[in-house]
Amino acid sequence: MKRQRMHWENPETLAGQRLMLGFEGTRFNRDVEEIIDRFKAGGIILFRQNIESPDQVARLCSQAREFAASLGLPPLFIAVDQEGGTVARLRAPFTEFPGNPFIRTEQEAEQFARITAQELKGAGINMNLAPVMDVAPKGLDSIMKDRAFPGDAQRVSLLGCRVIKTLQENGIMAVAKHFPGIGRTIKDSHHFLPVLDIDPETLEEADIIPFAAAKKAGVSGIMLSHISYPRLDDQWQASLSPVIAGEMVRKGLGYSGLTLTDDLDMKAISHDMETCVHQILRAGIDLALICHQGPNMEIAFNEMVRLLETDEKLYSAGRESLDRIMAAKKKYLSELF
């Protein structure tokens, strides 16, 4: 299908490309159409509720891609959380792995990532919101104990970077999560706002090491946690923080790839959506995830458009964000341009 030309830098498309949205159902339906047409979404995210079989999900992804192309929009990111173990959206007949805690060697990490990449690509998915690069300290009832690689920061770096490189060598964008590390927390941000009152030096010497390694490995994206780190930013949690997303990721790590929020529908987010959008734009975060159908999608889109139309500084930063988004799409989705 020949792609129509379009001014991708108008505020509507500039806003929409910053959104990754979820939906209900297993078929290409009116909700998916609205996400792509009305909100100009840069990507969609799939959950168990969207997946029945390899053929079904491949058809769904294909129809979504074709619809975006028919509107002259950039190709879609199509993402899923496929960590293995407790967080795996694709179940049998897709290959089921026991998860990161059971990966002990680089060879096992490579096998997981190679098979997963092949199956994701066959299903039409191009981004894996994995691997978890959090370090779960021994002796702590970490919320990530069932999802983290075993061992210290160096071991997590070694195994995680093998997953990143193998996924990306096989055409699947990898996303390291959850910066700057949530392995020390015991509360679940799906239900609470965890507070990690820890000094920056301890984070630098342990928790951030795997993310620095992921950056060196060329990871496509880094996902920010919903955790509050009051000694880093005493006002905003990581996913809304210009200090953490801007100063620490962009300048501290020297990272120039994609940054993503975790799901903004989680209970850890107590702010209204307009405030979230303002902070995301201020922080220069590239992709805002809203994973559940509802009014937050329209609120986020409308507020993002309004801010881009009225704030020259945010519009300029939005252009830079679009450049990063388009660079990733051209690298991994080049056949769709």
Side-chain angles (χ1 to χ4, degrees):
M1 178 182 297
K2 187 175 181 181
R3 185 172 294 279
Q4 301 171 14
R5 290 188 173 274
M6 183 174 185
H7 294 295
W8 289 346
E9 295 172 359
N10 64 64
E12 290 78 14
T13 308
L14 202 60
Q17 288 299 296
R18 305 279 290 274
L19 298 174
M20 288 197 52
L21 305 177
F23 58 94
E24 302 287 337
T26 58
R27 302 288 184 267
F28 183 79
N29 55 34
R30 293 294 297 274
D31 291 338
V32 186
E33 284 190 5
E34 182 178 45
I35 283 171
I36 299 169
D37 189 6
R38 166 85 174 86
F39 301 137
K40 313 284 188 291
I44 58 176
I45 179 168
L46 304 180
F47 289 87
R48 290 286 303 278
Q49 67 199 25
N50 305 121
I51 298 162
E52 289 178 341
S53 70
D55 288 344
Q56 167 268 325
V57 72
R59 186 164 53 253
L60 170 61
C61 293
S62 176
Q63 290 173 330
R65 286 196 306 269
E66 289 174 2
F67 185 64
S70 73
L71 298 174
L73 292 169
L76 291 168
F77 291 131
I78 302 179
V80 72
D81 294 275
Q82 191 69 2
E83 302 170 13
T86 60
V87 179
R89 313 305 185 195
L90 308 179
R91 299 291 183 176
F94 294 97
T95 303
E96 297 191 81
F97 290 90
N100 291 344
F102 298 91
I103 293 178
R104 304 286 176 176
T105 67
E106 287 187 85
Q107 291 74 23
E108 290 173 350
E110 182 173 351
Q111 180 187 36
F112 158 74
R114 177 174 44 79
I115 293 172
T116 297
Q118 291 169 353
E119 294 186 346
L120 292 181
K121 200 164 188 179
I125 296 165
N126 51 48
M127 178 183 285
N128 192 5
L129 301 177
V132 166
M133 298 296 275
D134 301 305
V135 181
K138 280 187 177 181
L140 182 70
D141 189 24
S142 169
I143 191 63
M144 301 306 292
K145 65 182 182 297
D146 296 326
R147 295 170 62 189
F149 292 106
D152 61 13
Q154 286 71 28
R155 193 68 186 165
V156 171
S157 299
L158 181 71
L159 298 175
C161 286
R162 176 56 60 190
V163 170
I164 288 165
K165 290 177 181 178
T166 305
L167 285 173
Q168 297 190 161
E169 286 167 0
N170 286 275
I172 300 296
M173 288 171 274
V175 175
K177 59 190 188 186
H178 308 77
F179 188 89
I182 64 175
R184 298 176 190 273
T185 61
I186 60 174
K187 286 188 176 181
D188 188 345
S189 57
H190 289 82
H191 307 292
F192 307 94
L193 171 59
V195 177
L196 187 55
D197 188 15
I198 191 169
D199 61 275
E201 293 74 23
T202 300
L203 285 173
E204 289 283 352
E205 291 168 3
D207 303 64
I208 292 177
I209 287 174
F211 295 97
K215 179 262 179 182
K216 290 180 182 177
V219 71
S220 293
I222 291 178
M223 179 180 286
L224 294 141
S225 81
H226 283 331
I227 310 304
S228 173
Y229 305 82
R231 298 200 209 179
L232 303 179
D233 187 329
D234 61 5
Q235 184 175 6
W236 301 104
Q237 59 211 94
S239 52
L240 303 177
S241 170
V243 174
I244 296 173
E247 296 294 323
M248 293 181 66
V249 175
R250 296 298 182 200
K251 295 182 181 178
L253 288 185
Y255 182 65
S256 60
L258 299 172
T259 51
L260 302 80
T261 71
D262 208 336
D263 180 11
L264 293 172
D265 284 327
M266 287 183 184
K267 298 297 184 184
I269 299 291
S270 60
H271 304 285
D272 59 64
M273 187 54 66
E274 289 93 342
T275 300
C276 291
V277 166
H278 191 203
Q279 286 304 117
I280 287 163
L281 295 188
R282 281 188 62 221
I285 298 169
D286 299 312
L287 294 167
L289 272 62
I290 303 175
C291 297
H292 302 87
Q293 203 80 34
N296 275 342
M297 292 183 183
E298 185 160 6
I299 293 169
F301 176 74
N302 289 340
E303 182 65 6
M304 202 173 286
V305 170
R306 186 187 73 80
L307 290 169
L308 292 171
E309 286 180 332
T310 57
D311 190 313
E312 190 173 327
K313 187 176 180 180
L314 292 181
Y315 179 81
S316 178
R319 290 277 303 272
E320 294 176 8
S321 183
L322 182 66
D323 286 344
R324 290 188 289 268
I325 290 167
M326 295 307 296
K329 291 188 174 186
K330 286 177 180 176
K331 181 174 181 179
Y332 286 94
L333 313 177
S334 58
E335 73 279 4
L336 299 176
F337 276 87

